[in-house]
Amino acid sequence: MRCLIIHNPASGPRSDEIFAFTHALAEAGDEVVFRLLGDGMESAGAAADAGSFDRVVVSGGDGTVSSLLDRLRDSGAPVLVFPSGTANLFFGNIGNAPEAAALARACRAGRTAKVDMGELSWTDENGVSRRHGFIIIAGTGFDADIMRRAESSHGEMGEIAYALAALASPAPQVAHFTIEHDGKVDELDGIGCMVANTALIQNDINLFPDCRMDDGLIDIAVIEPAKTVELLPTVIAGVLDPAGKGLLGRPQFKIFQAREARITANPSLGMEFDGELIEGKPGSFSARAIPQCLDLIIDDYSNLA
Ligand SMILES: [Mg+2]
């Protein structure tokens, strides 16, 4: 078996576990190529020949995994996501057993599921068209605000930083949103708009109850105006009813599902994808699902099994 491992050594406190994984994986007759991201080794170069390997392992936090999977789309290579980062939300959405030895077994077995990515397109401050794939959530407004505030302490505090940042936004800005989704148009006020490929966040809370990463659809949610304190019922609903299928639902989210959408915010609020902030303040962006473009390695515990 020829296996390519692409690892971000700066990914977080679990960064060294990839070596235990490699030790558990490798057998006589294998070729294991290990590439470490950093100066002189960017995602694009590291993943360029991925299609020629029997397995590709992407190891890092959500930002690293998002960038690498964007390069591995349609490569045909079976891809294993290894959770080396601080929060590893995407890995949580896959739901594989997290131990290094279990992941090594799954990698060798090579059972896969086809899943979607999201794709975000916007025009930057110099008028240049830009795009990036995303695996979890892209958005504008409240969530981008949270990410911006969390950025300074990101890495050291991880998940705690996100929670603290949320509490530091007592009166988020309201914008008027125009949502064009699969030929229909809806207009509404909100403090943010999120577009999701997967929506399971910490503690098994599913932000959008019907969101799946294998249905060819993105979930678009406008967060209705509220002070952060008034969002607490939604957070509590998430804790009491993680799947969101019960009576509580998601009272302050207006949710659309679509193959593609164009979102305009007036005034413009900041934008982020998978926790990475986008420079400038684009007033509108497009998002779409790229269906079935990844072959993810799964085990019997996976939500995708
Ligand atoms: Mg979907």
Side-chain angles (χ1 to χ4, degrees):
M1 189 173 80
R2 293 186 72 234
C3 181
L4 170 63
I5 299 174
I6 307 173
H7 174 62
N8 180 2
S11 54
R14 296 186 51 173
S15 180
D16 284 350
E17 292 187 25
I18 192 66
F19 300 105
F21 165 86
T22 308
H23 188 243
L25 176 72
E27 291 180 2
D30 289 348
E31 179 187 354
V32 180
V33 175
F34 208 92
R35 292 185 184 146
L36 295 168
L37 296 173
D39 283 347
M41 180 65 79
E42 305 294 332
S43 298
D49 58 348
S52 69
F53 287 84
D54 301 310
R55 306 282 189 275
V56 178
V57 179
V58 296
S59 169
D62 288 318
T64 302
V65 170
S66 173
S67 280
L68 286 170
L69 292 183
D70 200 22
R71 300 286 173 180
L72 293 167
R73 270 188 299 127
D74 301 319
S75 67
V79 178
L80 181 82
V81 175
F82 191 86
S84 294
T86 308
N88 306 305
L89 292 183
F90 188 65
F91 179 81
N93 277 275
I94 299 167
N96 285 345
E99 297 77 20
L103 285 166
R105 279 194 298 276
C107 187
R108 185 161 291 276
R111 177 184 180 189
T112 60
K114 285 207 176 290
V115 306
D116 315 331
M117 284 190 78
E119 183 179 58
L120 197 62
S121 309
W122 71 99
T123 303
D124 74 12
E125 46 209 338
N126 300 316
V128 178
S129 294
R130 305 279 302 273
R131 65 146 312 268
H132 206 286
F134 66 93
I135 49 175
I136 311 170
I137 289 175
T140 179
F142 186 59
D143 70 315
D145 195 37
I146 289 175
M147 292 298 177
R148 187 179 305 111
R149 288 165 192 269
E151 200 182 34
S152 54
S153 47
H154 190 54
E156 293 136 45
M157 295 173 65
E159 294 166 56
I160 302 163
Y162 292 105
L164 290 176
L167 295 174
S169 302
Q173 188 177 10
V174 176
H176 185 71
F177 288 98
T178 304
I179 315 285
E180 302 167 66
H181 52 108
D182 287 351
K184 296 189 272 289
V185 181
D186 276 87
E187 300 212 21
L188 61 167
D189 290 338
I191 60 171
C193 178
M194 293 187 279
V195 181
N197 184 52
T198 55
L200 207 61
I201 58 168
Q202 284 92 354
N203 306 316
D204 290 334
I205 295 172
N206 195 347
L207 276 180
F208 313 140
D210 296 320
C211 188
R212 294 188 57 85
M213 64 167 130
D214 56 3
D215 60 1
L217 301 171
I218 45 173
D219 285 43
I220 306 136
V222 174
I223 311 162
E224 292 168 356
K227 291 184 178 151
T228 310
V229 170
E230 292 164 356
L231 279 174
L232 281 176
T234 299
V235 174
I236 292 165
V239 173
L240 296 179
D241 175 23
K245 299 277 192 191
L247 289 173
L248 292 170
R250 290 289 177 269
Q252 278 133 332
F253 292 165
K254 172 77 178 163
I255 299 178
F256 311 93
Q257 284 191 318
R259 287 179 181 79
E260 57 188 323
R262 178 155 193 86
I263 291 128
T264 306
N266 189 13
S268 166
L269 309 170
M271 255 176 75
E272 63 83 25
F273 63 91
D274 292 338
E276 308 285 321
L277 286 169
I278 290 170
E279 304 247 330
K281 277 200 165 190
S284 65
F285 61 91
S286 297
R288 68 177 183 115
I290 309 174
Q292 314 266 298
C293 62
L294 292 169
D295 288 300
L296 288 188
I297 293 175
I298 58 168
D299 66 16
D300 291 341
Y301 298 97
S302 170
N303 304 319
L304 301 160

